[in-house]
């Protein structure tokens, strides 16, 4: 089959220019991805070869991989092709360098032993680690990744390519891909996401024209063909280069000369297709060659020679001779078992009878396991065999599932376990296999898990395994039947003797009762039991602290509970940063105005999330940092954290999390004086009855009420504010800063003229703050109360008290607002000189922390008072963008550029750029000066 002749790429100059630019840009640190997309035979693989030529000319390291149908069941199979040879060839020092920092998490895939004992969020940890392995490789010299037949790749590898494609900026990495998204079984959604990445260029080679057809056919025939012959050849093949080459070869073999009279014969040749041509060719090469070709189709291009011989039923010398004949006939490429073209492989594979195929895969798995192959590689062959009641096959598939889970490839693990159960396993192993499958299905929300776990218990498993099954049953039934789920989880806790398993089950149970209002009564009962317990778990202590803070219990009580959970109980070690329990405890510290303890808990959680490369844990910490900065720190930093959290929500498609993050962003953007953008952040999000009643529902409604109020839509504002207020009171939550619902309702009622009701609402907020002993929160409520008073002197007195209370708290933004309001009232009461001092302080604080709306209002009031406020800073902390501020803060804490990049999931170049800009705006030259400059 003359697939490679002539060697020149016909009518592909535009595509080659794109590939040359791709490689050149990678050398300059402008990473990108080029995607050749089109039908089989159109020349995609030839374009990848052109990319490799360009890379060789500019001395890039080239790593190449080709997917196959077999790879779909091998998690990270494409990744192994790329990086296994590199790590195998590296000495100990080089390997340690490549797998340093966050890249160590790549070892979960590339080191068979590294997956043991992995905690947290392994799927994102692995993606992150592989990204940094790629970055480390590119530090020494630019890198080109060549990926052919991506439509056949396994899902974890595709997720990584998509992940990498969005982070190529600043990397000396080029990626060249060939794929057919319309291929049956292809993951069209992920392939589309790769093609739509920020640095992606999609190449769609066109069919060859008649002149190019004449050139190609003439090369095979030895003479230029007649116009009619050329037209017939192009019509029979659609201008597809591969089909044209095959047709031309067949025409030459039959002695055609390319005359017009032969046009009907060439049309008939073209209609036979590749499969018939390949079958005819194999028959001429003999039985041994046919057997070797079938073995190659089953084993893939990484096959070992002795395996090929064994599957073909020939000895090794005969297999070598057969490989040579297949290469000469252009069925295989020379020097290996790679097929000359995917269509050729499909033709060979498709002709293997089903029974023979199953037997070949079984033999392949047996040989691979005997030499110590990776469990997942063995499992890919076992999936293609017919169930035959072999316990050893079921056991091998379970081993592969455990390895896949460690890598975060849960879909593959479930496929292995389902096939293991179908084998079936031995009676002793059936229960554990069903348990493992049910647990994974429960994590993914698959309701088939219920039947699996019930069957696992019935099959006879150990007591601790029964507890695990009950935990899985509780998790999967929470949304369908919350009370039944609670009963199941409680039974699991009561039965287990494993403290770690009990903590795990208790955290699921208490988290569910915190987020689902239908479980509110049961939550109260559980917490009452926890208060009566002389030695409650750290999980119970955390939830007691959260409940106390939300109900405006004394802050000293919240602090005592939190310290017991964090320090004495080791909560972070017990549940990890991915746990909602840890997240809720930090929220409790915020409501208790315990800024330092909240910062400590967040810093430790952030470090643990970085250590685990946990995307979910990082999201929880970012989400909490937003609240922390809004109360105690910088509004611009809060925006940076919020946008980082929002990126995780969008990437992970987390609709419930989007509700609360959108509410946060809207609140921040109002403070940044970007009200239209704040409205856009909430637009398109509709609360369902369930989400409205969940923890984030009142926050969202309150944020929307504020936007309605600022736009003058007071009736809509009141409706949202009332609903938010009702929802919090129904759950006994009275903390004034929980969504600011009471504060917002009082403000709206005041603007609508319902002063008497507004005062009643705000006085209840003041009482809650006094009960909690949170002076800053009391100051916030007093500031709102002052707006409802008619007398100017009464307003001044109330605002002066609010300022005094806020000065005794860590609530900087709220203090600045109270100072602004006090100055504004003083000016309106014709006391301009008294007004200037609080207004200047408000302006200075607002400018320093990025509260643009407040700064603008304070500046206007100062001008009205006759003062000359300073101009908007072009330098200093207030001049930093949110992203620059976020990077500068992490650098000030002592993190290296690499650690910052790993923590924020951005490139090192992005960090360097933000730090360079920050140095210039802060007027400093070194990292050591950052803490002082940011605090200035």
């Amino acid at each position: 089959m003359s697939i490679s002749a002539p060697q020149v790429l016909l009518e592909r100059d535009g595509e080659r220019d794109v590939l040359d630019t791709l490689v050149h840009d990678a050398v300059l640190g402008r990473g990108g991805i080029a995607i050749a997309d089109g039908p089989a035979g159109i020349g995609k693989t030839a374009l990848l070869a052109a990319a490799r030529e360009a890379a060789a000319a500019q001395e890039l390291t080239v790593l190449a991989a080709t997917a196959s149908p077999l790879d779909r069941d091998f998690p990270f199979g494409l990744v192994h092709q790329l990086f296994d040879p590199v790590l195998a060839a590296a000495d100990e020092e080089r390997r340690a360098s490549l797998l340093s920092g966050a890249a160590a998490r790549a070892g979960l895939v590339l080191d068979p032993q590294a997956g043991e004992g992995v905690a947290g969020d392994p799927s994102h940890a692995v993606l992150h680690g592989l990204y940094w392995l790629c970055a480390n490789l590119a530090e020494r010299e630019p890198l080109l990744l060549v990926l052919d037949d991506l439509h056949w790749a396994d899902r974890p590898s595709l997720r990584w390519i998509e992940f990498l494609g969005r982070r190529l900026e600043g990397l000396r990495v080029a990626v060249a891909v060939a794929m057919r998204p319309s291929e049956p079984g292809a993951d069209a959604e992920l392939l589309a996401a790769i093609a739509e990445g920020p640095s992606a260029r999609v190449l769609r080679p066109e069919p060859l024209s008649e002149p190019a057809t004449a050139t190609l056919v003439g090369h095979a025939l030895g003479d230029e063909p007649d116009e009619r012959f050329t037209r017939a050849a192009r019509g029979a093949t659609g201008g597809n280069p591969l089909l044209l080459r095959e047709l031309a070869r067949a025409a030459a073999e039959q002695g055609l000369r390319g005359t017009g009279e032969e046009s009907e014969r060439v049309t008939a040749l073209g209609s036979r297709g590749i499969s018939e041509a390949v079958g005819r060719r194999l028959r001429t090469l003999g039985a041994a060659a046919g057997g070797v070709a079938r073995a190659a189709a089953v084993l893939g291009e990484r096959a070992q020679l002795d395996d090929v011989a064994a599957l073909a039923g020939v000895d090794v010398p005969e297999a070598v001779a057969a490989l040579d004949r297949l290469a000469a006939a252009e069925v295989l490429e020379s020097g290996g078992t790679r097929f000359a073209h995917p269509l050729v492989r499909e033709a060979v594979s498709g002709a293997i009878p089903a029974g023979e195929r199953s037997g070949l895969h079984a033999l392949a798995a047996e040989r691979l396991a005997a030499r110590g192959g990776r469990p997942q590689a063995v499992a890919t062959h076992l999936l293609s065999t017919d169930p035959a009641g072999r316990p050893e096959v079921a056991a091998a598939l379970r081993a592969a599932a455990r390895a896949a889970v460690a890598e975060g490839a849960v879909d593959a693990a479930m496929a292995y376990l389902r096939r293991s159960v179908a084998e079936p396993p031995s009676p002793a192993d059936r229960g554990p296999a069903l348990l493992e499958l049910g647990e994974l299905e429960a994590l993914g929300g698959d309701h088939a898990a219920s039947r699996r776990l019930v069957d696992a218990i019935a099959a006879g498993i150990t007591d601790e395994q029964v507890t695990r099954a009950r935990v899985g049953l509780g998790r999967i039934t929470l949304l369908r039947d919350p009370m039944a789920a609670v009963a199941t989880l409680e039974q699991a806790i009561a039965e287990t003797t494993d403290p770690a398993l009990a903590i795990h089950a208790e955290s699921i149970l208490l988290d569910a009762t915190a987020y689902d209002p239908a479980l509110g009564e049961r939550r109260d009962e559980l917490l009452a039991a926890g208060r009566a317990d002389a030695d409650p778990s750290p999980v119970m202590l955390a939830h007691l602290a959260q409940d106390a803070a939300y109900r405006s219990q004394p802050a000293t009580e919240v602090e005592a509970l939190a310290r017991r959970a964090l320090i004495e109980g080791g909560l972070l070690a017990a549940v990890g940063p991915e746990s909602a329990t840890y997240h809720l405890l930090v929220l409790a510290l915020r409501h208790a105005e315990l800024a330092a303890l909240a910062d400590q808990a967040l810093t430790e959680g952030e470090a643990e999330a970085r250590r685990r490369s946990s995307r979910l844990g990082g999201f929880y910490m970012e989400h909490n940092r937003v609240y922390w900065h809004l109360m105690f720190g910088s509004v611009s930093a809060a925006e940076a954290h919020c946008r980082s959290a929002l990126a995780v929500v969008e990437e992970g498609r987390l609709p419930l999390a989007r509700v609360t993050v959108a509410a946060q962003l809207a609140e921040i953007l109002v403070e940044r004086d970007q009200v239209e953008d704040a409205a856009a952040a909430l637009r398109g999000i509709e609360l369902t009855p369930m989400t409205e009643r969940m923890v984030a529902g009142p926050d969202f409604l309150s944020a929307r009420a504020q936007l309605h109020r600022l736009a003058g839509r007071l009736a809509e504002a009141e409706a949202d504010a009332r609903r938010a207020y009702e929802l919090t009171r129904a759950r006994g939550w009275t903390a004034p800063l929980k969504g600011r619902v009471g504060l917002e309702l009082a403000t709206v009622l005041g603007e609508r003229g319902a002063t008497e009701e507004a005062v009643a609402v705000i006085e209840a907020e003041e009482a809650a703050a006094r009960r909690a002993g949170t002076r800053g929160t009391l100051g916030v409520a007093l500031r709102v109360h002052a707006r409802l008073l008619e007398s100017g002197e009464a307003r001044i007195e109330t605002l002066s008290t609010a300022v005094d209370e806020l000065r005794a708290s860590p609530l900087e933004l709220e203090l600045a607002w109270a100072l602004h309001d006090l100055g504004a009232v003083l000016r309106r009461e014709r006391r301009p000189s008294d007004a200037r001092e609080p207004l200047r302080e408000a302006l200075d604080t607002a400018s320093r922390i990025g509260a643009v709306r407040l700064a603008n209002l304070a500046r206007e009031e100062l001008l009205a008072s006759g003062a000359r406020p300073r101009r908007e800073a072009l330098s200093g902390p207030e001049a930093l963008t949110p992203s620059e501020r976020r990077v500068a803060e992490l650098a000030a804490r002592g993190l290296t550029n690499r650690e910052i990049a790993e923590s924020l999931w951005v490139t090192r170049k992005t960090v360097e750029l933000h730090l360079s800009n920050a140095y210039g705006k802060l007027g400093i030259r070194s990292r050591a000066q950052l803490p002082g400059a940011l605090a200035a």
Side-chain angles (χ1 to χ4, degrees):
M1 189 178 296
S2 302
I3 289 170
S4 58
Q7 293 298 323
V8 65
L9 276 172
L10 298 173
E11 298 183 333
R12 299 292 185 255
D13 290 346
E15 288 86 349
R16 294 199 67 156
D17 288 344
V18 170
L19 295 170
D20 289 344
T21 301
L22 175 80
V23 170
H24 179 69
D25 284 350
V27 173
L28 301 177
R30 299 194 295 260
I33 180 168
I35 300 164
D37 178 351
I42 201 67
K44 302 184 299 296
T45 300
L47 288 173
L48 296 187
R52 297 180 73 152
E53 290 173 11
Q58 300 204 43
E59 299 183 342
L60 276 74
T61 296
V62 177
L63 303 181
T66 301
S68 71
L70 190 64
D71 284 322
R72 283 181 176 166
D73 298 318
F74 183 4
F76 293 106
L78 214 62
V79 166
H80 280 293
Q81 284 192 58
L82 289 173
F83 297 121
D84 279 353
V86 175
L87 294 177
D91 59 28
E92 188 173 339
E93 181 180 356
R94 173 68 170 153
R95 183 183 176 91
S97 173
L98 290 175
L99 294 176
S100 63
R105 288 279 160 162
L108 296 176
V109 168
L110 301 170
D111 181 353
Q113 304 305 316
E116 297 178 2
V118 175
D121 183 15
S123 58
H124 274 106
V126 166
L127 300 182
H128 198 34
L130 290 168
Y131 164 83
W132 280 102
L133 171 59
C134 205
N136 290 347
L137 278 165
E139 279 193 351
R140 178 176 291 186
E141 55 190 26
L143 183 66
L144 171 67
L145 304 182
V146 179
L147 305 168
D148 204 355
D149 291 339
L150 199 64
H151 47 276
W152 279 322
D154 61 280
R155 185 172 175 80
S157 290
L158 285 177
R159 286 183 63 208
W160 177 67
I161 298 301
E162 192 273 335
F163 183 91
L164 175 67
R166 287 184 283 107
R167 293 166 172 81
L168 286 169
E169 178 192 359
L171 286 189
R172 297 198 302 167
V173 177
V175 184
V177 169
M179 65 183 188
R180 303 198 305 266
S182 59
E183 181 73 18
D187 195 321
E189 186 177 3
L190 265 178
L191 293 174
I194 292 168
E196 293 164 4
S199 61
R201 292 282 306 275
V202 179
L203 312 177
R204 291 189 171 88
E206 294 290 333
L208 296 183
S209 65
E210 284 193 17
T213 298
T215 300
L216 193 152
V217 172
H219 179 90
L221 298 181
D223 198 4
E224 184 175 352
D226 179 85
E227 244 179 67
R228 281 193 297 157
F229 190 97
T230 298
R231 195 175 302 115
R234 187 173 186 275
T237 60
N240 183 291
L242 172 67
L243 299 181
L244 275 169
R245 288 188 173 98
E246 173 56 29
L247 182 147
R249 173 172 180 148
E253 288 174 349
Q254 294 194 19
L256 301 187
R257 295 171 298 151
T259 65
E261 290 75 18
E262 295 168 333
S263 58
E264 289 187 9
R265 292 181 63 188
V266 82
T267 297
L269 284 174
S271 67
R272 295 175 184 170
I274 292 292
S275 295
E276 184 178 330
V278 171
R280 184 176 63 250
R281 189 156 309 135
L282 287 176
R283 286 192 293 274
T284 66
L285 297 176
V292 167
R294 290 190 292 277
V298 167
L299 291 166
E301 63 184 70
R302 299 182 298 282
Q304 295 194 14
L305 182 59
D306 58 340
D307 290 338
V308 172
L311 264 67
V314 298
D315 58 27
V316 170
E318 193 172 1
V320 171
L323 287 170
D324 289 341
R325 293 198 301 277
L326 290 165
E330 298 186 17
V331 174
L332 299 178
E333 289 185 356
S334 180
T337 57
R338 178 186 171 99
F339 280 88
H341 194 277
L343 287 180
V344 180
R345 179 180 56 220
E346 289 178 48
V348 173
S349 180
I352 305 174
E356 181 182 351
R357 186 197 313 277
S358 176
L360 291 173
H361 279 293
L363 180 56
E366 181 183 324
R367 294 184 63 85
L368 190 56
R371 75 162 65 92
R374 291 181 181 274
Q376 300 97 309
V378 174
T380 58
H381 288 291
L382 292 177
L383 289 179
S384 297
T385 63
D386 298 325
R390 294 165 295 177
E392 68 276 10
V393 168
L397 287 161
R398 283 181 63 202
R402 287 192 290 272
V405 168
E407 296 175 355
V410 175
D411 289 345
M414 287 193 288
Y416 298 156
L417 287 170
R418 285 170 183 145
R419 176 62 183 78
S420 175
V421 168
E423 183 63 24
S426 67
D429 287 342
R430 183 171 180 271
L434 286 167
L435 170 63
E436 291 163 13
L437 176 55
E439 286 180 311
L440 290 182
E441 289 175 334
L443 281 171
D446 186 341
H447 291 292
S450 297
R451 174 48 52 194
R452 307 272 193 203
L453 295 168
V454 169
D455 288 348
I457 295 172
I461 49 181
T462 67
D463 291 345
E464 290 308 312
Q465 288 174 333
V466 169
T467 301
R468 284 169 48 193
R470 296 200 197 287
V471 171
L473 280 168
R475 185 194 294 275
I476 198 61
T477 54
L478 273 170
L479 290 179
R480 288 186 303 163
D481 189 347
M483 294 310 298
V486 165
T488 302
L489 288 166
E490 289 175 343
Q491 184 179 1
I493 295 167
E495 288 176 349
T496 185
T497 58
D498 182 342
L501 190 54
I503 287 283
H504 175 61
E506 188 179 20
S507 70
I508 295 174
L509 171 62
L510 286 173
D511 289 348
T513 64
Y515 282 92
D516 188 345
L519 299 174
E521 185 176 340
R522 186 60 185 135
R523 178 174 179 79
D524 290 343
E525 294 169 355
L526 290 169
L527 294 181
R531 292 187 191 97
D533 190 343
D535 186 25
S537 73
V539 167
M540 177 58 76
L541 288 167
H543 281 271
L544 288 172
Q546 183 266 340
D547 186 69
Y550 276 39
R551 292 178 183 272
S552 303
Q553 297 303 305
T556 52
E557 178 185 329
V558 175
E559 181 176 11
L561 290 166
R563 288 189 181 277
R564 286 176 66 191
L566 289 167
I567 299 167
E568 298 173 27
L571 180 68
L572 181 59
V575 300
E578 304 86 2
S579 167
T581 293
Y582 197 79
H583 169 66
L584 290 169
L585 178 61
V586 180
L587 287 178
L589 296 174
R590 163 189 172 240
H591 287 293
E593 296 182 15
L594 299 166
L597 186 56
D599 181 47
Q600 177 186 336
L602 277 171
T603 300
E604 292 173 359
E606 288 162 348
E608 183 63 13
R610 277 196 302 275
R611 188 186 72 79
R612 300 182 184 206
S613 291
S614 170
R615 192 66 158 146
L616 180 59
F619 164 74
Y620 273 136
M621 297 306 107
E622 291 288 86
H623 181 38
N624 255 310
R625 272 290 176 196
V626 177
Y627 285 128
W628 192 93
H629 273 291
L630 273 173
M631 283 188 69
F632 313 124
S634 155
V635 178
S636 56
E639 182 183 352
H641 284 281
C642 192
R643 293 197 182 279
S644 177
L646 187 60
V648 180
V649 169
E650 291 174 345
E651 183 179 280
R653 298 179 183 176
L654 307 171
L656 295 181
R658 183 175 182 82
V659 171
T660 184
V661 175
Q664 284 183 314
L665 184 59
E667 183 178 352
I668 292 165
L669 292 175
V670 168
E671 296 291 349
R672 299 284 285 166
D673 209 18
Q674 300 171 28
V675 177
E676 287 301 319
D677 290 341
L682 301 188
R683 198 172 295 132
I685 300 177
E686 293 296 332
L687 295 183
T688 66
M690 182 187 76
T691 56
E692 184 184 68
R693 293 193 304 272
M694 295 185 79
V695 174
D699 302 60
F700 182 89
L701 287 165
S702 185
R704 194 167 68 185
Q706 181 190 34
L707 288 169
H708 285 318
R709 174 170 57 81
L710 293 174
R713 298 186 295 270
L714 294 183
E716 293 164 271
E718 182 181 346
D720 274 347
R722 281 193 184 279
R723 181 58 178 153
Y725 192 74
E726 291 167 2
L727 290 166
T728 54
R729 271 39 187 188
R731 301 192 69 174
W733 296 344
T734 58
L737 295 182
K738 170 56 187 152
R740 305 175 71 93
V741 295
L743 303 171
E744 184 58 37
L745 178 58
T747 302
V748 174
L749 290 171
E751 292 192 15
R752 295 206 78 186
T755 307
E756 185 176 344
E757 184 183 0
V759 169
V761 171
I762 202 62
E763 286 179 347
E765 300 296 290
E766 292 169 22
R770 288 191 174 95
R771 191 165 62 249
T774 47
R775 296 186 65 180
T777 306
L778 176 59
V780 175
L782 288 170
R783 172 180 164 248
V784 174
H785 196 159
R787 296 177 183 174
L788 304 174
L789 302 174
E790 294 184 4
S791 163
E793 285 304 317
R795 286 186 177 186
I796 291 170
E797 182 180 350
T798 302
L799 285 167
S800 297
T801 304
V803 167
D804 291 342
E805 295 295 329
L806 283 159
R807 283 199 191 282
S809 82
L811 277 64
E812 278 205 282
L813 174 61
E814 298 296 347
L815 171 60
W817 271 112
L819 287 164
H820 162 271
D821 288 7
L822 176 59
V825 172
L826 287 167
R827 182 188 68 77
R828 288 174 177 81
E829 292 295 310
R830 302 181 185 278
R831 295 167 56 180
S833 58
D834 292 339
R836 289 170 193 152
E837 182 179 348
L839 288 171
R840 283 197 181 99
E841 186 179 351
L843 175 59
D844 287 345
T845 300
S847 298
R848 175 167 51 81
I849 65 177
V852 179
R853 179 166 173 261
L854 173 56
N856 290 340
L857 292 172
R859 187 176 291 105
E860 290 172 8
E861 288 290 344
L862 277 168
L863 286 169
S865 75
R868 290 187 177 182
R870 62 184 175 86
R871 293 170 177 264
E872 188 70 28
L874 299 176
S875 61
E878 60 267 39
L880 300 179
T881 68
S883 295
E884 290 164 356
R885 180 91 184 212
R886 179 81 176 96
V887 169
E889 285 179 346
L890 290 174
R893 288 192 215 167
L895 274 69
T896 66
N897 285 7
R898 182 191 179 103
E899 288 170 335
I900 296 169
E902 291 175 351
S903 178
L904 299 181
W905 298 61
V906 298
T907 67
R908 197 159 9 189
K909 184 172 182 178
T910 299
V911 173
E912 292 166 355
L913 177 63
H914 286 328
L915 270 183
S916 175
N917 291 341
Y919 285 179
K921 292 177 180 179
L922 295 171
I924 61 175
R925 294 185 177 181
S926 74
R927 244 180 169 76
Q929 296 172 284
L930 270 173
L934 288 173

